[in-house]
């Protein structure tokens, strides 16, 4: 409770928690006027008429027909009939939270944007994480890229950094976006498979559109099955432009770096989680924020001076390429902290509308043809999804600064513009609202020199499709390479067309011959004889082995039954909690589990609900139990935790279980020592995330 320093009482007597981090948040103040709590209120129609009966419709006699005049029935059912809006055509499944951003370092040398020059300012943000492929109701842990879209409510207007957790994209030109999306969505004949690229159409697209080689390597990697939204990087993908007060420009790539490091699930775990807890990532984020474990991400920028535009062996305007961090370091310039869950999923998460074209002075675009297409698409899709041109008036989308112009009318207009003038130029309102000169904050597009013929052609600098795909492969550790091979073998193994399978191994031979040959052997097609790459370059920053490590917020399954050593277990659990680990006591039944010396804990999970895939680590104490189902569950916890490379700690009877399962003295399995020594080593082991060399 310590995190909640401020409380307020609502009109119907509820005590609300307000975190100190969330206090004085301007967006929250703005949203407050739209919040309505119906608890304790009289029921009315939408016209404010008090309703006397809400369960029986108006009928002609107790067994007679329902009457048309029952306006309450009609209003209630009509509203229900219209509750759904179209889901996003991509990124339909998402989850969001509020927070704030604070700058570490003044970036005025590169940009005049207020949020990147004023280190004292706390800018409210709203962040929506998403999967790309699956429908709104699909499972969280599907293999996919993740969206990571941030709306900064700045004093100069909304700035949207609409990012993904993978730094490159499938295609180079937005005109191909409908093609790639059609190919990875469920097949049109039967709408199968849901939220999965493991089908013929996608892999047919892959083998025949060579620019996607690099992105597909990332999708087959562990990056596509993140452990948590709190443990993924974010990348702006497209190259943007910073412009400073003198009008000088530089190129910029945006990065989010999670403070907890970048970590992934293993595939078997991800698959099981789709059934055990389809809301796994949602629960993880929601619960972390409710606990006060506020997710943190540092904002980084890679800046390339204008004159260095052509010094790379790829084109900066090509979204299938990344700038290796070893060539241009990521400068960390600020931190975002997510401090508050939404009050209403639909009103906030579903209705939020991001757009890469929402920029502020000091941030501008480049000619990246993918970015240019995005600048068209987002507003267009929101017009249909949110039903008209006034979606900027929906509370979650409103800027916190005032906005004035001569736009009027349209579906669901909320603003009541007073005054007669709705055009520019005018004399009746003194020619207001007035355009603002750039020196006073008006947005001015960077004056890039543009010339050329109108053509449909791509620059030759966009044609190296494989070098960075090979660099990615070269940069992976042994277990990451194995996971990539396994993922290809699963996905292509599901492809029915032998020709498509063969085309793909022949295609990926361009990335790495051994990779392609191994996949070929796993999926029953001829291993390619030629191909291979001469690229030896690596970028160590791409391997998740080199990420930050922390035991904080890791979930530990603590298996207990009556009779455990009370003082010792309590000491260990207190230590783990103090180190920031999150503990779930699992016992045979929900309720109290008793140890010696009067120590007792309340179990949160029982043998029916607990599952090893829900945890990062296992601490097995047990007491003594004759419950067969409990024993089976312990055996499964040990088997899966071990195979999924998780930390296993055991004391008391737990050690006997390790002996029986021949797990003692294995890496990441912690047993002996006194309580203090055991607890310390357990935390160190959990911080490793997984024990890959087990
Ligand atoms: Fe998007 N993208 N995108 N995208 N995108 C959408 O806009 C589009 C791309 C990304 O949580 C849509 O409001 C085109 C790259 C995120 O609400 C749509 C192209 C990146 C989200 C759209 C791209 C993204 C979207 C669907 C290629 C990483 C979810 C719903 C030219 C930098 C935002 C919507 C949220 C959503 C178009 C490529 C990120 C259709 C045409 C590259 C995180 O407008």
């Amino acid at each position: 409770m310590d995190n909640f320093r401020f409380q307020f009482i609502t009109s119907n007597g509820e005590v609300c928690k307000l975190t100190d981090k969330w206090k004085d948040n301007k967006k929250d103040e703005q949203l407050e006027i739209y919040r309505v709590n119906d608890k304790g209120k009289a029921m009315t129609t939408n016209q404010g008429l008090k309703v006397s009966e809400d369960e029986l419709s108006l009928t002609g006699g107790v067994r007679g027909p329902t009457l048309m005049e029952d306006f309450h029935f009609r209003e209630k059912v009509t509203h229900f009939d219209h509750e759904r809006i179209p889901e996003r055509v991509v990124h339909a499944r998402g989850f969001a939270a509020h927070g704030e951003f604070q700058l570490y370092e003044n970036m005025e040398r590169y940009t005049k944007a207020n949020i990147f020059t004023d280190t004292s300012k706390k800018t409210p943000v709203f962040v929506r994480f998403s999967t790309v492929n699956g429908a709104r109701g699909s499972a969280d842990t599907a293999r996919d890229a993740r969206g990571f879209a941030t709306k900064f409510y700045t004093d100069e207007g909304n700035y949207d950094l609409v990012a993904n957790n993978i730094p490159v994209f499938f295609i180079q030109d937005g005109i191909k976006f409908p093609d790639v999306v059609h190919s990875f969505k469920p097949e049109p004949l039967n709408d199968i498979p849901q939220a999965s690229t493991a089908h013929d159409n996608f892999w047919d697209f892959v083998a025949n559109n060579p620019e996607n080689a690099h992105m597909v390597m990332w999708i087959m990697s562990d990056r596509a099955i993140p452990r948590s939204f709190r443990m993924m990087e974010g990348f702006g993908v497209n190259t943007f432009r910073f412009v400073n007060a003198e009008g000088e420009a530089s190129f910029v790539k945006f990065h989010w770096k999670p403070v907890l490091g970048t970590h992934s699930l293993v595939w078997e775990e991800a698959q099981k989680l789709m059934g055990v807890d389809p809301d796994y990532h949602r629960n993880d984020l929601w619960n972390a924020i409710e606990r006060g474990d506020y997710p943190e991400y540092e904002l980084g920028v890679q800046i390339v001076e204008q004159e260095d535009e052509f010094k790379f062996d790829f084109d900066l305007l090509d979204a299938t390429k990344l700038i290796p961090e070893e060539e241009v370091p990521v400068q960390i310039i600020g931190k975002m902290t997510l401090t508050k869950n939404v009050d209403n999923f639909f009103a906030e998460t579903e209705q939020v509308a991001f757009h890469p074209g929402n920029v502020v002075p000091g941030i501008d675009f480049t000619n990246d043809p993918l970015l240019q297409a995005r600048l068209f698409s987002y507003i267009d899709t929101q017009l249909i999804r949110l039903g008209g041109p006034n979606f900027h008036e929906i509370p979650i989308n409103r800027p916190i600064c005032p906005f004035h112009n001569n736009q009027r009318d349209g579906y669901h207009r909320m603003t009541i513009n007073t005054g007669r003038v709705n055009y520019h130029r005018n004399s009746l309102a003194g020619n207001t609202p007035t355009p603002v000169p750039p020196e006073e904050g008006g947005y001015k597009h960077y004056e890039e020199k543009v010339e050329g013929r109108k053509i449909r052609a791509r620059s030759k600098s966009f044609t190296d499709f494989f070098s960075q795909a090979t660099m990615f492969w070269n940069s992976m550790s042994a277990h990451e390479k194995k996971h990539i091979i396994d993922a290809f073998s699963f996905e292509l193994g599901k492809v029915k067309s032998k020709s498509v399978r063969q085309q793909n191994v022949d295609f990926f031979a361009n990335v790495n011959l051994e990779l392609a040959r191994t996949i070929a052997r796993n999926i029953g097609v001829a291993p390619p004889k030629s191909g291979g790459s001469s690229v030896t370059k690596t970028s160590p920053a791409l391997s998740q082995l080199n990420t930050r490590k922390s035991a904080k917020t890791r979930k530990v399954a603590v298996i207990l039954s009556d009779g455990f050593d009370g003082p010792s277990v309590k000491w260990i659990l207190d230590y783990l909690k103090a180190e920031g680990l999150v503990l779930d006591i699992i016992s045979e039944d929900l309720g109290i589990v008793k140890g010696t010396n009067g120590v007792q804990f309340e179990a949160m999970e029982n043998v029916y609900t607990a599952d090893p895939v829900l945890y990062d680590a296992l601490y097995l104490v047990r007491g003594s139990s004759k419950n067969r189902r409990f024993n089976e569950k312990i055996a499964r916890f040990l088997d899966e935790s071990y195979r999924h490379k998780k930390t296993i700690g055991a004391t008391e009877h737990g050690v006997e279980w390790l002996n029986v399962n021949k797990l003692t003295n294995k890496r990441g399995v912690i047993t002996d020592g006194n309580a203090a020594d055991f607890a310390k080593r357990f935390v160190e082991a959990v911080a490793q995330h997984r024990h890959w060399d087990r």
Side-chain angles (χ1 to χ4, degrees):
M1 283 305 278
D2 285 350
N3 295 304
F4 302 111
R5 300 225 187 109
F6 303 93
Q7 296 195 333
F8 62 91
I9 315 278
T10 64
S11 48
N12 49 25
E14 274 179 14
V15 178
C16 287
K17 299 168 289 190
L18 191 62
T19 65
D20 54 348
K21 297 219 174 195
W22 187 243
K23 199 171 161 272
D24 302 328
N25 184 297
K26 282 197 198 158
K27 185 64 191 173
D28 190 54
E29 279 167 27
Q30 187 194 52
L31 290 178
E32 185 54 26
I33 59 170
Y34 297 98
R35 293 191 182 115
V36 174
N37 191 330
D38 298 319
K39 195 172 169 189
K41 303 289 184 332
M43 181 182 284
T44 69
T45 65
N46 287 334
Q47 308 306 317
L49 178 77
K50 290 196 182 82
V51 170
S52 61
E53 171 58 59
D54 190 40
E55 291 178 78
L56 297 171
S57 38
L58 189 70
T59 52
V62 284
R63 299 183 65 249
T66 302
L67 302 179
M68 273 285 279
E69 70 183 69
D70 187 350
F71 51 80
H72 173 52
F73 160 78
R74 280 191 285 112
E75 183 193 84
K76 181 176 175 182
V77 174
T78 304
H79 195 279
F80 170 76
D81 292 343
H82 295 257
E83 272 176 12
R84 289 293 170 273
I85 62 170
E87 63 176 34
R88 290 165 174 81
V89 60
V90 283
H91 296 266
R93 183 170 178 81
F95 206 61
H98 295 272
E100 63 195 18
F101 172 77
Q102 188 156 17
L103 193 69
Y104 293 150
E105 201 176 321
N106 182 343
M107 298 300 290
E108 67 186 358
R109 188 176 148 207
Y110 298 106
T111 174
K112 60 182 174 190
N114 272 356
I115 39 159
F116 296 142
T117 51
D118 185 348
T119 52
S120 68
K121 195 166 262 161
K122 287 186 176 169
T123 304
V125 297
F126 188 66
V127 179
R128 183 174 179 271
F129 302 104
S130 48
T131 48
V132 183
N133 187 349
R136 221 187 100 173
S138 57
D140 279 348
T141 58
R143 175 175 295 283
D144 200 353
R146 298 296 185 285
F148 187 148
T150 306
K151 194 180 279 295
F152 297 79
Y153 302 95
T154 89
D155 294 340
E156 300 180 294
N158 289 348
Y159 165 50
D160 292 354
L161 176 49
V162 194
N164 275 352
N165 78 329
I166 289 179
V168 291
F169 202 62
F170 292 103
I171 48 170
Q172 298 168 317
D173 186 327
I175 199 170
K176 294 182 75 166
F177 192 62
D179 300 300
V180 62
V181 175
H182 284 173
S183 84
F184 64 59
K185 285 275 182 182
E187 303 218 342
L189 296 172
N190 51 16
D191 206 31
I192 297 173
Q194 289 295 311
S196 169
T197 46
H199 59 99
D200 289 49
N201 279 9
F202 175 67
W203 288 96
D204 189 28
F205 182 89
V206 170
N208 290 288
N209 294 272
E211 67 268 39
N212 66 41
H214 189 191
M215 174 78 169
V216 174
M217 292 298 292
W218 281 80
I219 296 281
M220 292 303 107
S221 81
D222 294 348
R223 299 284 182 142
I225 43 171
R227 156 67 181 83
S228 158
F229 292 139
R230 302 175 296 123
M231 298 172 200
M232 13 179 254
E233 283 180 281
F235 304 92
V237 177
N238 303 113
T239 303
F240 286 83
R241 222 185 280 270
F242 265 163
V243 184
N244 66 17
E246 280 70 52
E248 297 158 346
S250 50
F251 296 100
V252 58
K253 290 249 189 213
F254 292 103
H255 295 247
W256 289 114
K257 300 264 184 197
V259 168
L260 294 174
T262 312
H263 303 283
S264 293
L265 300 165
V266 295
W267 178 230
E268 187 184 73
E269 215 184 344
Q271 282 179 303
K272 289 191 170 175
L273 277 168
M274 290 188 231
V276 172
D277 183 6
D279 302 303
Y280 181 68
H281 286 147
R282 291 178 163 198
N283 275 320
D284 172 272
L285 186 73
W286 178 274
N287 292 335
I289 293 175
E290 290 298 301
R291 280 196 311 268
D293 284 331
Y294 301 126
E296 296 175 314
Y297 308 82
E298 289 188 310
L299 182 69
V301 288
Q302 283 177 302
I303 294 177
V304 176
E305 302 284 354
Q306 193 92 339
E307 57 271 24
D308 292 335
E309 178 173 3
F310 300 107
K311 83 166 197 197
F312 300 95
D313 54 6
F314 55 88
D315 199 315
L316 278 184
L317 305 185
D318 175 359
T320 67
K321 305 295 185 301
L322 54 86
I323 311 180
E325 292 188 27
E326 295 74 13
E327 284 174 44
V328 179
V330 175
Q331 237 179 296
I332 299 297
I333 63 166
K335 188 166 79 177
M336 173 168 79
T337 311
L338 301 183
T339 49
K340 188 181 175 298
N341 281 314
V342 298
D343 290 297
N344 185 287
F345 180 86
F346 181 85
E348 299 174 77
T349 310
E350 199 55 16
Q351 293 200 109
V352 67
F354 294 95
H355 173 33
N358 287 346
V359 288
V360 287
I363 302 172
D364 208 319
F365 316 111
T366 61
N367 295 330
D368 172 346
L370 197 81
L371 174 58
Q372 295 285 327
R374 294 181 74 199
L375 295 178
F376 164 74
S377 175
Y378 287 68
I379 296 228
D380 187 43
T381 200
Q382 278 141 19
L383 285 170
I384 178 129
R385 192 170 69 79
L386 298 169
N390 287 316
F391 56 84
H392 61 280
E393 297 192 357
I394 297 173
I396 196 66
N397 294 324
R398 298 181 84 94
I400 55 170
C401 59
F403 53 99
H404 301 280
N405 53 47
N406 293 311
Q407 294 164 35
R408 295 290 186 274
D409 309 347
Y411 282 113
H412 317 304
R413 183 72 172 178
M414 310 279 164
T415 308
I416 303 172
N417 298 96
T418 57
R420 65 191 298 159
V421 169
N422 54 3
Y423 51 90
H424 182 85
R425 309 180 57 103
N426 65 68
S427 68
L428 293 176
N431 205 22
T432 59
T434 338
V436 181
E439 348 22 287
E440 290 168 33
Y443 188 87
K444 181 183 173 211
H445 290 265
Y446 175 65
E447 290 184 2
E448 185 186 7
K449 187 169 178 228
V450 179
E451 60 184 353
R453 293 181 183 281
K454 292 183 198 166
I455 47 166
R456 291 185 183 272
R458 201 167 300 164
S459 162
K460 286 206 172 52
S461 54
F462 279 53
T463 49
D464 172 8
F465 304 133
F466 299 111
S467 296
Q468 287 211 346
T470 305
M471 178 183 77
F472 180 74
W473 171 254
N474 293 345
S475 309
M476 295 292 102
S477 60
H479 74 266
E480 287 170 314
K481 283 186 172 162
K482 180 176 179 308
H483 292 170
I484 291 173
I485 292 170
D486 291 350
F488 268 112
S489 307
F490 174 88
E491 295 257 326
L492 283 167
K494 293 269 187 187
V495 169
K496 306 271 184 313
S497 160
K498 198 167 178 183
S499 154
V500 171
R501 297 207 297 267
Q502 186 69 56
Q503 289 176 54
N504 272 283
V505 293
D506 294 345
F507 175 65
F508 282 97
N510 293 303
V511 176
N512 182 280
L513 190 56
E514 209 30 59
L515 163 71
R517 290 175 66 82
T518 312
I519 303 167
R521 283 192 287 273
N522 290 345
I523 61 168
V525 296
K529 292 201 171 60
S530 60
S533 167
S534 57
V535 174
T536 54
K537 191 166 168 178
T538 62
S539 168
L542 300 181
S543 168
Q544 290 183 92
L545 261 194
N546 302 324
T547 187
R548 302 183 205 185
K549 302 205 165 68
S550 168
K552 287 204 171 12
T553 76
R554 292 309 186 124
K555 275 193 88 175
V556 184
V558 182
I559 301 189
L560 284 182
S561 61
D562 286 347
F564 60 87
D565 178 343
S568 152
V569 171
K570 182 171 182 328
W571 194 93
I572 292 169
L573 297 190
D574 284 347
Y575 181 90
L576 301 187
K577 269 193 257 172
E579 290 292 314
L581 282 74
V582 179
L583 312 178
D584 259 7
I585 308 283
I586 300 166
S587 189
E588 295 169 41
D589 323 295
L590 295 181
I592 301 298
V593 49
K594 292 182 178 138
T596 59
N597 290 43
V599 175
Q600 57 182 38
F601 298 104
E602 171 129 34
M604 293 93 153
E605 305 285 345
N606 62 14
V607 285
Y608 298 93
T609 61
D611 198 287
V613 292
L614 296 168
Y615 299 95
D616 294 294
L618 167 64
Y619 172 32
L620 180 56
V621 191
R622 198 170 167 251
S624 54
S625 171
K626 295 200 168 52
N627 181 330
R628 185 178 56 83
R629 196 183 276 271
F630 188 56
N631 292 341
E632 279 170 10
K633 187 62 86 152
I634 293 176
R636 194 149 79 72
F637 258 94
L638 279 171
D639 169 53
E640 286 191 19
S641 303
Y642 187 76
R643 281 192 297 107
H644 298 161
K645 321 281 185 194
K646 295 172 181 175
T647 297
I648 300 174
T651 57
E652 303 181 44
H653 289 88
V655 182
E656 291 161 28
W657 276 88
L658 292 186
N659 291 336
V660 172
N661 289 275
K662 301 194 173 46
L663 293 181
T664 25
N665 298 327
K666 300 277 191 201
R667 211 174 275 276
V669 178
I670 315 294
T671 47
D672 38 22
N674 59 29
D677 179 55
F678 169 84
K680 183 165 170 288
R681 287 187 301 125
F682 185 78
V683 172
E684 282 164 7
V686 172
Q688 295 308 306
H689 175 59
R690 300 298 164 90
H691 304 279
W692 300 116
D693 51 354
R694 187 178 265 172

